Amino acid sequence: MNILVVGGGGREHAIIKKIKENKNVSKIYALPGNGGIARDAECVDISATDIKKIVEFAHANNIDYAVVAPDDPLVLGAVDALEASGVPCFGPRANAAIIEGSKVFSKELMKKYNIPTAAFEVFNDAEAAMEYLKTAPIPTVIKADGLALGKGVIIALTREEAYDAVKSIMQDKAFGKSGDNIVIEEFLEGPEVSVLAFTDGNVVKPMISSMDHKRALDNDKGLNTGGMGTVAPNPYYTEDVANVCMEKIFLPTINAMNAEGRTFKGCLYFGLMITKDGPKVIEYNCRFGDPETQVVLPLLESDLLTVMQAVTNGTLADCEVKFADKHACCVIMASKGYPVKYEKGYEITIPDEISNSVYVAGAAIKDSKLVTSGGRVLGATALGESLDEAIASAYGLVEKIHFGSAFYRRDIGAKALAAYKE
Ligand code: AMP
Ligand code: GLY
């Protein structure tokens, strides 16, 4: 089989390595991929959002199955276009990807179907939003409606910060048209859990839970990033919490999408907060998370391509989705200065014997050498019988990898370890 994977980050590298385990796979193309992915797939210089070229490429290269991994091509309708031209795909169509593409849509969906989430108001007018903020409870959370490269959420700790957020999103258009509408919502407290789930619209099969570390620096200090590391499973996702989530969140969400004529097929990501009133949805993503995928897929014992095809065919009920009873830890190595300003072009050395545990995100090939080309450069993932063991092994991998201007958090998994000891 010829497989096409759209995207070019650490998440896509993890998906590609897992798909490669299937013996029927003869060739994998990554569009655009990256310098590190090039070890595992043929990278083709086509942007993940150039849907016309992606479809043309699929035809010219006899693609049997496509996986569309990032949010923007999904929201733009890459799956619709590939399917219309006869290529079966993993990922939701645009009318279902809107669950991530529009926060106003997802909040209204949760309200209509009684799915627990933070209380909220929607505004399309900055003055009305400012007026509301005069008496809103503080802290408050302000979210741009559309995709904003993961930066469209502002937690305002003071009223002034809240006014500034509205000004920046709605008046200065910090995120362009994504900020034409905003959601202002209740500030929730509690540990966060990420749950990625396979769904074909009939059944939902959650993957092993995980915990992201979004801030740039140790002890959750510094700016929000795309994610500096992950562990799986998440200790806060107990069996009781999992049962409540299935009954009150997961099934109601896929039923709601069906009722709206927007059947979701693919990986639905539930960003949850475990509040004192129970689990609530912080956000939905219409795709695998990054870097959650880099700890979840290494623990998957079932064949990924088989599960993906069952999702596409609507036969997920009959397909086993099994995870190892182990722990995983992924430490992201970034370029110093990320997420603001950083240098690129440094040579990366990864010893051959550990390259299978490394998921490359921001690297390019220059003069046949692998060099840094992005903020998040790569993730090193290790498994262990215990979380301690997984963490120690992941940092052991990090010590063997070198590039100029490298930096990483030293405390990935510390919060989860403390939770086990609570
Ligand atoms: P998002 O970009 O939607 O993943 O949001 C980024 C982060 O903002 C989340 O991971 C949470 O830590 C935080 N966040 C979002 N919404 C809320 C909320 N209503 N209350 C508290 N924190 C929130
Ligand atoms: N790690 C969070 C995300 O993928 O959106």
Side-chain angles (χ1 to χ4, degrees), residues 364-383:
I365 307 270
K366 201 176 159 205
D367 304 330
S368 10
K369 286 184 180 139
L370 190 64
V371 299
T372 61
S373 69
R376 286 192 297 175
V377 174
L378 56 84
T381 297
L383 308 188

Side-chain angles (χ1 to χ4, degrees), residues 223 337-342:
L223 294 171
Y338 171 74
V340 186
K341 202 169 157 237
Y342 47 84

Side-chain angles (χ1 to χ4, degrees), residues 123 126 130 141-146 148 151-155 161-184:
F123 296 93
M130 298 285 195
V141 183
I142 294 155
K143 299 186 171 181
D145 176 41
K151 295 185 184 118
V153 174
I154 296 174
I155 314 259
E161 280 175 25
Y163 296 139
D164 287 349
V166 170
K167 181 172 179 300
S168 140
I169 297 176
M170 296 194 94
Q171 292 174 331
D172 305 342
K173 299 276 173 215
F175 310 112
K177 285 189 77 59
S178 285
D180 287 353
N181 297 299
I182 59 166
V183 171
I184 300 185

Side-chain angles (χ1 to χ4, degrees), residues 45-69:
D45 190 17
I46 292 177
S47 154
T49 50
D50 193 339
I51 294 176
K52 192 164 165 278
K53 280 205 182 135
I54 293 170
V55 172
E56 282 167 10
F57 179 88
H59 270 269
N61 293 279
N62 299 317
I63 297 300
D64 298 298
Y65 192 72
V67 178
V68 181

Side-chain angles (χ1 to χ4, degrees), residues 118 141 143 153 155 185-188 192 214 273 282-283:
V141 183
K143 299 186 171 181
V153 174
I155 314 259
E185 70 176 32
E186 174 195 9
F187 175 75
L188 298 177
E192 287 184 55
K214 286 206 161 118
M273 196 170 268
I282 289 280
E283 61 163 347

